[in-house]
Each structure stands twice: as C-alpha cells, then as structure tokens.
Amino acid sequence: LKIKSVSGSGEGLDLNVKVNIYYENYIGSIIKKQDTVHDFLIQFPSCFFRWFRFRRISAFSVLKPNFPAQLGISQKFLTAAEFSCTLEIRNEENSMNEASALFKAALCAGDLAALRQIPKADLHNHFMLGGDREWIAERWGVRIEAIQAPLKSMAEMDQWSQVSINTPFPDRTGRLRLLEATLRQAVKDGVSVLEIGEDVWALKPFYHGDVEDLLASWKAVREAAAPQIELRFQIGISRHCGVPYLMEKLAPFWDRPEFYSLDLYGDEQAQPIENFIPLYRRARQSGWVLKAHVGEWGSAQDVRQAVECLDLDEVQHGIAAAQDPAVMELLRQKQVRLNITPTSNRLLGRVASLADHPIARLKRAGIPVTINSDDVLIFDSDVSKEYLRLYKAGTLTAEELNEIRQEGLK
C-alpha cells in the first residue's frame, strides 16, 4: 500500500477528500460509485490499521477533517490515480471520547459491569490459563479455583497448572476447549484486541505437525466463540530449549503473515539472552512484532540486555526496569512497550501490593505500558478487574488508566 497524500474537509460523517494514491493489488472494496460524483465506502483489513498503529473501531477506514498525511508501506495498493470523492466514515473521535468518559465514570463508581462494556486490549494472556471459569464449570463440569494467597515459587504455580489444567484438559480437544474458554472470557470482559498464541513445540502433538491444521483449528473456534475480536496470533518459544531445536521448530512458521508476534518465555536465567539473537533476527525478517518475558524475576539490566540484544518492540512484564532510571530512559527513548500484569506480579511475590506497583512510575516516565491478565484462571485477573483494582489502590488516576487502555488498542 502506498498513499501519497490525503487532504480534505467536512463535518459530521461526510468528508470531502482529494487523494493521490497508487495501487497494484486490490485490497479494498468499493461499495457504491456514481458516474458524476465518486461517492463510495472503502473497507480496509485490520492489518492496515496495525501497520499504521491506528485505533480501529470498525472495518471502515477513518480519516479526519484537515488531515494531510504522507503515508507509506511496503506493499503497493493502487495504480496512479487522482480523484475527488466523498467518504462515509465513522466518527472515531466522538466514539473514542464517549468510551473514555464512560470508562472513567465506571472507575469512579466502582462499576465492574460498566467497565466490561468498554473496549480494551489484553496483550499478555496465556490462553491455556485465560478462560472463563464459570463457562468451563457449566460446559465441561470442571471447577477451577483461583489462588488467594501469594505463591512461594514458580514450582507451586506449575503444580497448580498440572492439577487444574493439564490433568482435566490433556489433549488436542482439551486444548481447543480452553482456547474457546479464553475467547469467551475476552468477550465477557469487553476485550476487543486479544493477543494469544501457541508454542512451537505444540505443533506436532496437537496439530499433526501442520501449520494449516493449527490455523484452521483456531479459526473455527474463533468464528464460533468470538468473531468480533481482533485476534493477534503469537508464536511462543521457551528459554529452556536449545536454539537449534527452536530454529527447527520455527521453520514452518517463518514468513507466514497469519502470525503477529514472537514471544520468549520461561526462566529468565535458563540461558544467556544473546543465544536467541539469530531467532529474533529471522523473526524480524518475517515482519513479526518482537517480544520477550523479561524483568519479572530478573533485574533492570536484564531488561536492558534483552531489549538491546533482541531489538524488542515490546516486553512482557518488564517491571524491574523501574529499579534503574537509565533503563527507564532507554525504554522511553525507544518507546518499547511494557505489557504488565499487576495482580500476577502481586500473587507471585514480585510486588508487595498494588499500591506500590511500579507501573505508575514507568507510565509517568513516558514509557508505553498496558494492563493485561496474564493467567485469569490462576489469578482471577481479567483486565477490567485489573483496571478497577489499580484505581481503588490509588496506583493510577482514572485519566492515566484510560490512557493506558487506549495505548493497548493501538
């Protein structure tokens, strides 16, 4: 896609625009066109908005009055053409302002049900542990209780997962049931952008070693449970695996546009972070967003090293960065986003309380942050509850929390 320039003026839902654009491949759909006045509606896919990091509230392209732009991207979209037209658009700014006002009012009122009606993102969610516990109990007769007191180690968390998740849901069918539960939980919580994914090791035992089977299986579940959600498909790799093994397992995934991001997880001290540089360079060539779990159990210097070695776009957790002003400045300058999970941090003993959570310090230092669930079934941490808990704890103001909500929807 290459849009040379856009300019226009208008009011309400009509915008008179003059567009200089080039295309080679068809990507939009013209709904209506007249002989004398070019009056039509163009629909762009969600990836258009992802590339430009626009907030997307509908399938319609959104242009604002007096919005000159020089926009470009690697794929070309139109052959040389110049024309005047009227675009019917959604009033994005008014819709965003209305959602923000409702969100802040719901926080002030402590109204969880109202918060769940407001669009939000969940960008740090492990789908095997992200489901709707009420739906799981009703549909499959499995009751999963969240923990109440902080865990003493990751070994305790692994033991909980073995008993509560792996035993009742051991196979492909169980895995897809948990995927459906996570999608249903997201819909229930008002999540409109959800980033979840599979680990590379799961391809062979659960999807016959076939990426097409993986994609078809997930597509079928999503269409049945949550077709309205923007699902960003992440590929997970473990620090505990050797790099040659991971490179082999990633081979079927490289350059597939269906996948959005790569995420490294596991014990932060399992092996040196620089070992993964070849994988992340190859992932960059595939056009994926680069992420890694770091700074949850490790130090601020671990965050710095991961960001610099792997050229990270985002960090899952990253709260240890608050220990070092220099690392915070690095994140601010690079605008590396931290996808933070507050209740998880508290119940894993990484912070003493939500009131003392470093998300406020990181946010006020100019670092992009988001609020996410991590593992709903373990921590009772759906995103709306996370926002409300932070507000009630006095960690962040309603305005700051709304800014964080909007950051996640970019």
Side-chain angles (χ1 to χ4, degrees), residues 109-410:
D111 190 339
L112 181 60
L115 283 174
R116 284 179 168 157
Q117 302 304 309
I118 310 300
K120 59 187 71 69
D122 192 355
L123 309 179
H124 186 160
N125 179 315
H126 303 281
F127 86 90
M128 290 284 288
L129 304 169
D132 180 342
R133 74 182 72 251
E134 289 78 16
W135 183 83
I136 292 172
E138 180 181 343
R139 184 72 176 84
W140 304 115
V142 178
R143 299 196 176 277
I144 302 175
E145 299 297 331
I147 66 171
Q148 302 299 319
L151 298 175
K152 297 177 182 177
S153 67
M154 286 299 293
E156 280 191 80
M157 182 173 169
D158 292 341
Q159 183 180 12
W160 182 97
S161 296
Q162 182 61 40
V163 172
S164 300
I165 302 298
N166 297 341
T167 298
F169 301 100
D171 53 14
R172 171 191 171 102
T173 299
R175 208 168 185 87
L176 294 178
R177 286 174 178 175
L178 289 173
L179 171 62
E180 181 176 359
T182 293
L183 291 169
R184 290 182 179 277
Q185 171 63 36
V187 171
K188 176 180 174 180
D189 198 32
V191 171
S192 56
V193 179
L194 178 64
E195 188 165 347
I196 54 176
E198 266 290 13
D199 194 293
V200 291
W201 70 265
L203 188 64
K204 184 175 181 179
F206 298 117
Y207 305 100
H208 308 102
D210 184 358
V211 171
E212 296 299 336
D213 182 39
L214 167 63
L215 291 170
S217 300
W218 277 54
K219 180 180 179 181
V221 175
R222 182 203 173 190
E223 288 179 349
Q228 70 273 43
I229 285 180
E230 179 182 337
L231 181 61
R232 298 175 178 177
F233 206 145
Q234 178 177 283
I235 297 301
I237 56 175
S238 172
R239 278 186 174 85
H240 301 273
C241 298
V243 170
Y245 167 86
L246 292 174
M247 190 67 84
E248 176 188 349
K249 293 299 180 183
L250 279 164
F253 297 92
W254 295 133
D255 303 320
R256 295 292 301 248
E258 298 91 344
F259 301 108
Y260 177 84
S261 61
L262 180 71
D263 181 31
L264 177 68
Y265 67 90
D267 184 349
E268 294 181 41
Q269 306 306 318
Q271 59 179 303
I273 196 73
E274 54 266 29
N275 289 2
F276 300 96
I277 291 175
L279 295 174
Y280 273 73
R281 286 179 176 169
R282 182 63 182 85
R284 180 67 78 194
Q285 293 174 9
S286 290
W288 298 345
V289 171
L290 305 185
K291 308 168 70 172
H293 280 61
V294 64
E296 178 187 21
W297 297 86
S299 68
Q301 291 309 310
D302 291 327
V303 175
R304 174 190 287 278
Q305 189 174 16
V307 168
E308 293 180 336
C309 285
L310 303 183
D311 189 27
L312 297 179
D313 301 300
E314 301 178 15
V315 170
Q316 307 295 72
H317 297 297
I319 58 173
Q323 301 166 0
D324 189 331
V327 176
M328 287 199 293
E329 178 60 16
L330 172 72
L331 297 176
R332 185 196 66 79
Q333 289 181 359
K334 289 180 169 290
Q335 287 294 284
V336 175
R337 185 161 70 186
L338 307 183
N339 298 317
I340 295 173
T341 61
T343 295
S344 167
N345 297 152
R346 183 181 70 82
L347 289 175
L348 287 174
R350 311 322 303 154
V351 297
S353 69
L354 291 184
D356 298 324
H357 198 288
I359 188 173
R361 191 154 68 255
L362 295 162
K363 158 74 173 165
R364 291 164 189 167
I367 300 166
V369 299
T370 64
I371 292 169
N372 309 276
S373 65
D374 202 0
D375 304 309
V376 173
L377 291 172
I378 300 180
F379 303 118
D380 187 29
S381 54
D382 60 73
V383 185
S384 296
K385 286 180 182 175
E386 294 294 89
Y387 279 110
L388 189 56
R389 286 167 179 164
L390 290 169
Y391 180 73
K392 287 184 173 180
T395 315
L396 293 154
T397 67
E399 183 62 39
E400 288 172 325
L401 288 164
N402 185 58
E403 290 171 358
I404 292 172
R405 180 186 69 85
Q406 291 176 321
E407 171 65 32
L409 292 172
K410 288 182 179 179

